[in-house]
Amino acid sequence: MVTFCGVSKTYQTDAGPVPALRPTDLEIQRGEFVAVMGASGSGKSTLLQLMGCLDQPSGGVYRLNGQPVHALSPNQMAAVRSENIGFVFQNYNLLPRTTALENIERALWCDKRTRKNARSVAERARQCLEWVNLPGHGHHFPSQLSGGQQQRVAIARALANAPSLILADEPTGNLDSASARGILALLQSVHAGGTTVVVVTHDPEVAAHAGRILTLRDGVVVADEVTPRRAAPQGREDRLG
């Protein structure tokens, strides 16, 4: 599903070129749950940005679902993102003056496959909130939700267009332990439904729930380990539909 062939990223600064990701060969198969670990500055966020078509590599070839995407125009990359990739961020990135339902609807209107009419978009958004166990919170603004609830809305928004790949950047970083367990259980439910999940984390407890762990250091993948899957976190019984 994700194939890097010699993919690299170098940023140009006043002090000179800074290699953030050195030439990398990497494959992630459809249906995997992968954790990406490493110290600050190791290149893990750069890897995620390239994987999510948020940035173009400085070199190499990137194929997503078999399609070369490394040299697409910004508009073409935006179309690939909207149709294939869902993002979950540490700080939720919800629009503050927009309700939970409206945040999800915005994602649906951005995808030409789903922007059929207002009724179908609203119904899909309501379904997404039900999937993340927030059926009664559609008209709440982000400021009226807890951190865990905001992250659930963010996951519902990421799932709205039925992406084949979910990319999560420190999704539990701002949450208490109970909320973090709920988010991990939710991500595992997403994965159980067949979606490929890649999570960037500094927390070994989070990484332990993945089936594979990539470790980066100084822009290089220094370890690629298949791990025994841990059981889903307790405290959540509902599953995604």
Side-chain angles (χ1 to χ4, degrees):
M1 166 171 221
V2 169
T3 304
F4 279 15
C5 296
V7 170
S8 64
K9 182 65 180 181
T10 298
Y11 295 101
Q12 301 298 327
T13 70
D14 292 339
V18 177
L21 184 70
R22 301 181 187 276
T24 298
D25 295 331
L26 174 65
E27 288 190 358
I28 295 176
Q29 302 299 324
R30 185 177 300 276
E32 283 196 274
F33 190 144
V34 179
V36 181
M37 300 193 71
S40 178
S42 63
K44 57 185 187 296
S45 292
T46 298
L47 181 73
L48 202 73
Q49 289 171 355
L50 294 173
M51 201 177 292
C53 295
L54 294 171
D55 200 356
Q56 290 181 313
S58 301
V61 175
Y62 172 29
R63 289 186 175 88
L64 177 63
N65 292 324
Q67 176 187 4
V69 296
H70 55 283
L72 296 180
S73 70
N75 286 341
Q76 290 171 324
M77 292 181 76
V80 169
R81 288 195 301 271
S82 67
E83 295 178 8
N84 296 278
I85 305 170
F87 296 92
V88 181
F89 301 97
Q90 180 176 350
N91 294 322
Y92 324 129
N93 285 13
L94 300 176
L95 298 173
R97 298 183 181 179
T98 303
T99 66
L101 270 175
E102 290 168 342
N103 266 280
I104 300 169
E105 289 171 355
R106 291 286 184 95
L108 289 163
W109 285 115
C110 288
D111 189 342
K112 63 182 179 182
R113 301 172 305 166
T114 54
R115 58 186 183 203
K116 298 176 182 178
N117 56 65
R119 174 176 291 183
S120 64
V121 166
E123 177 60 27
R124 175 68 175 175
R126 283 193 292 270
Q127 290 176 354
C128 291
L129 279 181
E130 291 177 359
W131 287 348
V132 298
N133 201 30
L134 291 176
H137 294 72
H139 297 292
H140 287 68
F141 291 92
S143 61
Q144 297 172 310
L145 301 172
S146 68
Q149 289 170 336
Q150 290 186 64
Q151 194 62 293
R152 286 174 183 267
V153 173
I155 292 174
R157 178 185 59 189
L159 293 171
N161 293 322
S164 55
L165 175 64
I166 291 288
L167 301 178
D169 192 358
E170 299 284 4
T172 63
N174 288 341
L175 303 178
D176 60 72
S177 57
S179 296
R181 287 194 296 272
I183 294 303
L184 285 171
L186 186 54
L187 288 174
Q188 287 192 324
S189 293
V190 172
H191 172 251
T195 304
T196 306
V197 179
V198 179
V199 177
V200 164
T201 182
H202 69 280
D203 188 346
E205 285 295 309
V206 174
H209 294 285
R212 179 182 175 192
I213 299 176
L214 301 176
T215 304
L216 273 72
R217 183 182 303 128
D218 299 328
V220 177
V221 177
V222 295
D224 184 349
E225 179 185 9
V226 176
T227 63
R229 288 294 302 277
R230 179 178 294 187
Q234 299 299 310
R236 180 181 173 82
E237 296 180 355
D238 55 300
R239 291 176 59 95
L240 294 178

